[in-house]
Amino acid sequence: MANIRDLKKDINYVLGDIIEAVYIVESTHDKHGSKEGSAIIDGAISAFDDLIAKVNNKDVEDRKAHLKGVRKELEKKASALIAKINKLD
């Protein structure tokens, strides 16, 4: 299992890349500041805050299983956000 620092970096990079992808899609389609794009960005920021709070939670019985669950939740949330980005076209 990767360490906590790597998990936090993964959360940061994945959700940061999603936000960057929204900006790229909006700029290529001349939809700067669209409601849909803003909603995706807000969702990514909310997911970031939620996941980092879960990583920092130390009051769990099985820390290793908890962190694996956080990683799976990251994948699930990122996939949902990417699907929304694909609909921006």
Side-chain angles (χ1 to χ4, degrees), residues 30-89:
D30 284 335
K31 296 182 179 179
H32 300 286
S34 69
K35 289 182 185 178
E36 298 87 7
S38 295
I40 294 170
I41 291 170
D42 290 343
I45 292 169
S46 173
F48 175 83
D49 292 341
D50 182 46
L51 293 171
I52 292 296
K54 288 182 180 182
V55 169
N56 290 333
N57 183 9
K58 295 180 178 157
D59 297 331
V60 293
E61 295 229 356
D62 187 2
R63 182 97 165 125
K64 188 173 182 179
H66 173 72
L67 294 176
K68 283 184 181 182
V70 171
R71 184 170 294 281
K72 286 185 181 186
E73 188 175 347
L74 169 63
E75 292 174 11
K76 182 178 173 184
K77 288 183 178 188
S79 296
L81 290 169
I82 290 169
K84 290 180 183 180
I85 291 172
N86 291 335
K87 292 179 184 177
L88 282 178
D89 293 340

Side-chain angles (χ1 to χ4, degrees), residues 2-57:
N3 63 24
I4 295 170
R5 181 180 46 205
D6 289 340
L7 178 57
K8 287 182 179 180
K9 284 182 180 181
D10 288 345
I11 292 169
N12 189 32
Y13 292 145
V14 168
L15 296 174
D17 287 346
I18 288 172
I19 291 171
E20 185 177 349
V22 170
Y23 289 134
I24 291 170
V25 169
E26 284 184 340
S27 67
T28 58
H29 296 289
D30 284 335
K31 296 182 179 179
H32 300 286
S34 69
K35 289 182 185 178
E36 298 87 7
S38 295
I40 294 170
I41 291 170
D42 290 343
I45 292 169
S46 173
F48 175 83
D49 292 341
D50 182 46
L51 293 171
I52 292 296
K54 288 182 180 182
V55 169
N56 290 333
N57 183 9

